[in-house]
Amino acid sequence: MFDLSGKVAVVTGGSRGIGRATCLALASQGAHVVIGYVRGEAAAQETLAKIVEAGGKGEIVRVDASNFAETEQTITDIAKRLGRLDILVVSAGISVDGLLIRLKEEDLDEILRVNLKGAIASAKGALKTMIKQRSGRIIFLSSVIGEGGNAGQTAYAASKAGLLGVTKSLAKEYAGRNIAINAITPGYVATDMTQALSEEQRAQMLTQVPMGRPADPKEVAAAVVFLASNEAEYITGQAIRVNGGMYM
């Protein structure tokens, strides 16, 4: 079950956090994993080393999600070089938090450029090959914030909510080509980003989680593996919530 042997997977933002856990999980099921990174080359190499140590296969490639044309071309080139592309996981994302009244336009532009336009560019690059193959899986990492909103995260929420619209639209466009396109909306996950919050902020977040704990990145990655597998071939246009009950 969930055998991905012979599959090629690209994970943007794959050097750390949920992206890293996803790379490791996909490789453990037999996929050749391309670890996308933008600045953290050392972290990407560390992720690759973990994959190889566990007997998996992979490589690292720089994917700058802030540049639409470059991102699209990079994904297209990966597929051409490897001869196929079966799974695309869009995990690259940024957040600049603050009340709207203090939000700078350049910060809004950067969040939308990376989180939304970068995701669309990645999908566009992947679809060129997936359409020819008449098969593929695209999985966007959205967020519980895109569903329920959060004070101080208007721009981030807009970008992640936008991904849900992208998911549903692309799912309708390409279902006839046997390409399943879904999203995952994680809640509070124990990553470097959340660890940077104060203890008080983390405690406040936990009051919103009925399960009373943050998710391990591996738990989000497990949902990615399922959606990438043949077992999930009849699921498309959906947002899978991995949030411990934070939003229902």
Side-chain angles (χ1 to χ4, degrees):
M1 185 173 279
F2 308 155
D3 181 13
L4 303 177
S5 299
K7 306 286 189 182
V8 172
V10 174
V11 181
T12 69
S15 63
R16 54 170 53 90
I18 294 173
R20 171 179 283 184
T22 296
C23 289
L24 295 174
L26 292 171
S28 72
Q29 298 303 310
H32 178 95
V33 180
V34 180
I35 304 159
Y37 72 96
V38 62
R39 283 182 292 273
E41 182 175 356
Q45 289 285 10
E46 184 179 333
T47 303
L48 178 58
K50 290 178 179 292
I51 287 174
V52 173
E53 183 181 351
K57 299 169 292 184
E59 59 188 87
I60 70 169
V61 173
R62 188 174 186 274
V63 183
D64 183 1
S66 69
N67 186 316
F68 190 99
E70 182 180 314
T71 295
E72 178 186 347
Q73 191 61 52
T74 299
I75 302 298
T76 299
D77 289 345
I78 290 169
K80 285 182 178 178
R81 178 169 56 81
L82 296 177
R84 62 182 304 110
L85 177 53
D86 304 285
I87 302 158
L88 170 68
V89 183
V90 180
S91 182
I94 62 170
S95 178
V96 180
D97 299 340
L99 298 177
L100 178 60
I101 199 166
R102 297 191 182 94
L103 179 67
K104 297 177 182 177
E105 184 178 2
E106 54 265 35
D107 289 337
L108 172 62
D109 289 342
E110 183 69 5
I111 289 170
L112 295 178
R113 186 162 50 245
V114 173
N115 295 6
L116 191 54
K117 289 184 68 176
I120 294 171
S122 299
K124 188 177 178 184
L127 281 165
K128 296 173 186 177
T129 294
M130 291 180 176
I131 289 169
K132 292 176 184 177
Q133 291 174 174
R134 298 190 68 87
S135 67
R137 302 282 188 274
I138 297 177
I139 301 156
F140 296 108
L141 267 295
S142 180
S143 170
V144 66
I145 305 303
E147 295 185 295
N150 194 38
Q153 291 190 298
T154 297
Y156 182 77
S159 69
K160 294 300 187 178
L163 279 180
L164 300 179
V166 170
T167 298
K168 295 175 186 297
S169 297
L170 292 182
K172 290 183 176 182
E173 284 184 24
Y174 297 105
R177 297 280 184 160
N178 194 34
I179 301 169
I181 301 169
N182 293 289
I184 293 175
T185 57
Y188 174 19
V189 184
T191 64
D192 291 344
M193 185 182 296
T194 55
Q195 286 304 308
L197 300 173
S198 69
E199 188 173 328
E200 182 180 352
Q201 287 173 314
R202 292 198 299 273
Q204 175 59 34
M205 287 180 70
L206 281 179
T207 65
Q208 303 174 50
V209 183
M211 283 193 168
R213 66 171 179 84
D216 187 294
K218 294 178 182 177
E219 293 173 302
V220 181
V224 174
V225 170
F226 168 63
L227 290 176
S229 72
N230 290 338
E231 284 76 11
E233 64 183 355
Y234 201 60
I235 300 174
T236 195
Q238 305 304 309
I240 307 300
R241 294 169 178 158
V242 185
N243 63 26
M246 190 175 183
Y247 181 87
M248 302 182 189

